[in-house]
């Protein structure tokens, strides 16, 4: 009977909830068609018609140290790369398949270089690993919810041996956990059901898989997608953790409106994974990039709700992060250079969200994130004057005095900060007031 060890769990999660901000990287053969990482499924491309991308793949500009530097400069503390996505292409030198990067023109173990580059930049490193594998003959094809050949009766599942597939999948996870040094995160993706199968939990032989992972990588943090996908929470949330419970909940392309609490109302560890445009993998025509100011505010929102943000980049077929993503990372980094103290190790403030922005908290320090100015002195609702030791502009360290104007006389119980005569905030995106409590 599995016994959840809360002390061990909290020790394992400490760096992660301190880090708050990471880079997700979706990269592989699908960068060549450049229509997103699901292109084989959405366009129902046969394996034969997908192989030319394998024959062509040659990321001449791949330099993961550049990726790691860009992540670090943006204030990201960890990076997670797709070691194998649903198409089954392995970015690592697996002994169990020929469908791998070391057999392409580049001949490189892309995962190994990635992990080494991330560690060299002092970042925590993780790998995404797809539970689905549309390349493997023993994975369900016809009738499966997602497989590229799901609608093609020529691909019925007679003779497919799912246990063979599971042995293959477990062997590859063992390779990643054995041959590549310490992994800080294993990001499995994803569990689902369709008319034929419940593809979750023990269907993946998840207990055996996680026991093996934890034996080889005892410190590794694992997501909740051996049980669910972005649309569910999992057994830790249920209060009845399985041996393969996720260590964090993985809302996708959404920020949980109220953070995430378990069934008993206890705050849970969660990480919102979000794309910069609308695709995980490189998509040439998707130019709908979220502006950097928006991404900064979304990072603050995640932290203010007790969560992490895993922000995705999708490098192109040559190995370059798109310029729009690099520009956003640079702008985020400029803000983080001045304000990361209000992100790292911070969480919910226990105070209602103010009109003018959001609040993050670390112990007896509050960070009022001002996304907009107010008329007159700035109200700091939720604290009392006798609690305040001092207020500073976090970016500059400058003292911010308490306001003492007649206009606030009707509101004696509210603390007001005096931001001076300029109606334009020093940082138009997010000016952070550090409020040190006594
Ligand atoms: C969804 C997508 C998958 C992506 C993942 C990232 O599962 O299907 O392509 O890798 O989200 O969270």
């Amino acid at each position: 009977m599995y016994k959840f060890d809360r002390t061990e769990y909290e020790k394992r999660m400490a760096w992660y909830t301190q880090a708050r901000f990471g880079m997700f990287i979706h990269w592989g053969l699908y960068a060549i068609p450049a229509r997103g990482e699901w292109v084989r499924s959405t366009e129902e491309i046969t394996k034969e018609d997908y192989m030319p991308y394998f024959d062509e793949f040659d990321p001449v500009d791949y330099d993961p140290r550049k990726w790691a530097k860009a992540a670090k400069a943006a204030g990201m503390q960890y990076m997670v790369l797709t070691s194998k996505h649903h198409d089954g292409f392995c970015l690592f030198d697996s002994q169990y398949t020929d469908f791998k990067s070391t057999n392409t023109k580049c001949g490189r173990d892309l995962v190994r270089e990635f992990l080494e580059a991330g560690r060299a930049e002092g970042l925590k490193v993780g790998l995404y690993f797809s539970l689905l594998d549309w390349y493997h003959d023993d994975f369900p094809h016809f009738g499966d919810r997602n497989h590229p050949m799901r609608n093609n009766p020529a691909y019925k599942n007679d003779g497919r041996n799912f246990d063979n597939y599971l042995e293959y999948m477990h062997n590859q996870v063992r390779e990643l956990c054995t041959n590549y040094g310490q992994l800080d995160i294993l990001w499995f993706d994803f569990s689902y059901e369709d008319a034929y199968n419940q593809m979750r939990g023990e269907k993946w032989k998840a207990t055996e898989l996680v026991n093996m992972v934890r034996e080889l990588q005892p410190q590794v943090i694992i997501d909740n997608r051996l049980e669910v996908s972005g649309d569910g929470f999992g057994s830790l949330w249920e209060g009845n953790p399985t041996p393969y419970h996720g260590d964090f909940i993985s809302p996708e392309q959404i920020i949980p409106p109220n953070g995430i609490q378990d069934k008993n109302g206890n705050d849970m560890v969660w990480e919102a994974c979000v794309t910069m445009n609308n695709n995980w993998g490189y998509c040439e025509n998707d130019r709908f990039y979220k502006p950097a100011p928006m991404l900064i505010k979304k990072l603050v929102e995640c932290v203010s709700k007790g969560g992490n943000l895993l922000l995705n980049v999708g490098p192109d077929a040559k190995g370059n992060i798109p310029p729009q993503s690099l520009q956003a990372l640079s702008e985020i980094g400029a803000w983080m250079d001045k304000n990361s103290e209000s992100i790292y190790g911070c969480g919910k403030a226990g105070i209602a969200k103010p009109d003018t922005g959001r609040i993050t908290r670390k112990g007896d320090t509050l960070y009022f994130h001002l996304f907009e100015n107010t008329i007159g002195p700035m109200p700091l609702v939720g604290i009392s004057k006798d609690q305040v030791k001092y207020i500073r502009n976090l970016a500059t360290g400058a003292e911010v005095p308490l306001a003492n104007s007649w206009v606030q006389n009707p509101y004696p119980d509210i603390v007001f900060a005096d931001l001076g005569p300029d109606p334009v905030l020093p940082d138009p995106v997010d000016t952070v007031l550090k409020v040190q409590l006594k």
Side-chain angles (χ1 to χ4, degrees), residues 223-261:
D223 72 331
N224 64 340
R225 295 195 177 189
L226 280 166
E227 295 185 311
V228 291
S229 72
D231 65 357
F233 291 149
S235 59
L236 190 58
W237 180 88
E238 298 279 352
N240 181 23
T242 62
Y244 45 84
H245 67 76
D247 289 329
F248 62 89
I249 295 175
S250 56
E252 175 180 323
Q253 302 288 40
I254 191 169
I255 296 177
N258 300 308
I260 298 180
Q261 292 75 42

Side-chain angles (χ1 to χ4, degrees), residues 136-425:
H136 199 285
D137 286 338
D138 286 321
F139 194 89
H141 287 48
F142 182 65
D144 175 75
R145 194 179 92 184
N146 308 299
H147 198 283
M149 298 299 106
R150 60 192 177 279
N151 298 317
N152 187 335
Y155 289 84
K156 286 197 188 316
N157 298 312
D158 308 331
R160 295 193 201 284
N161 182 328
F162 194 65
D163 281 340
N164 280 353
Y165 167 67
L166 290 180
E167 185 182 356
Y168 169 80
M169 189 261 275
H170 283 221
N171 281 335
Q172 288 195 321
V173 172
R174 179 184 298 279
E175 285 183 305
L176 291 171
C177 291
T178 305
N179 303 334
Y180 292 89
Q182 176 171 317
L183 302 179
D184 299 301
I185 294 174
L186 254 184
W187 218 102
F188 290 113
D189 189 40
F190 62 98
S191 291
Y192 63 97
E193 69 261 358
D194 57 28
Y196 305 91
N197 289 302
Q198 281 277 342
M199 304 296 276
R200 60 176 85 248
E202 289 307 344
K203 179 73 174 178
W204 306 118
K205 291 187 181 172
T207 298
E208 181 185 313
L209 183 68
V210 169
N211 287 347
M212 177 258 286
V213 167
R214 294 232 177 272
E215 191 178 316
L216 294 167
Q217 298 276 346
Q219 79 302 322
V220 75
I221 291 174
I222 301 174
D223 72 331
N224 64 340
R225 295 195 177 189
L226 280 166
E227 295 185 311
V228 291
S229 72
D231 65 357
F233 291 149
S235 59
L236 190 58
W237 180 88
E238 298 279 352
N240 181 23
T242 62
Y244 45 84
H245 67 76
D247 289 329
F248 62 89
I249 295 175
S250 56
E252 175 180 323
Q253 302 288 40
I254 191 169
I255 296 177
N258 300 308
I260 298 180
Q261 292 75 42
D262 68 16
K263 278 180 100 167
N264 303 316
N266 305 306
D267 284 325
M268 292 208 70
V269 179
W270 58 271
E271 171 193 84
C273 53
V274 175
T275 54
M276 283 205 186
N277 53 9
N278 293 306
N279 280 272
W280 301 100
Y282 182 67
C283 188
E284 182 89 3
N285 296 331
D286 180 354
R287 303 188 184 284
F288 301 107
Y289 282 83
K290 302 168 183 72
M294 175 186 182
L295 293 171
I296 291 167
K297 291 173 184 173
K298 295 306 112 186
L299 171 60
V300 171
E301 180 176 353
C302 286
V303 177
S304 74
K305 294 176 177 176
N308 286 23
L309 174 64
L310 187 64
L311 185 58
N312 183 75
V313 297
D316 63 23
K318 297 176 79 173
N320 298 301
I321 293 176
Q324 301 93 324
S325 295
L326 289 175
Q327 177 56 36
L329 290 170
S330 169
E331 291 179 45
I332 295 166
W335 182 86
M336 283 290 277
D337 283 347
K338 303 281 187 184
N339 300 286
S340 62
E341 179 186 321
S342 69
I343 298 295
Y344 298 149
C346 292
K348 296 166 72 170
I351 297 175
K353 178 192 176 307
D355 296 335
T356 50
R358 296 189 181 276
I359 310 172
T360 57
R361 178 177 203 138
K362 185 168 14 186
D364 57 6
T365 309
L366 292 169
Y367 300 93
F368 281 75
H369 296 259
L370 309 181
F371 297 161
E372 59 177 281
N373 207 337
T374 186
I375 301 295
M378 177 61 70
L380 305 180
V381 179
I383 55 176
S384 61
K385 200 175 287 184
D386 58 9
Q387 282 182 287
V388 178
K389 186 174 180 182
Y390 61 70
I391 305 173
R392 298 286 183 268
N393 173 327
L394 181 62
T396 64
E399 183 177 42
V400 175
L402 287 177
N404 187 15
S405 142
W406 67 269
V407 300
Q408 66 195 78
N409 288 349
Y411 321 105
D413 298 336
I414 294 179
V415 176
F416 290 83
D418 178 355
L419 300 185
D422 190 343
V424 178
L425 288 171

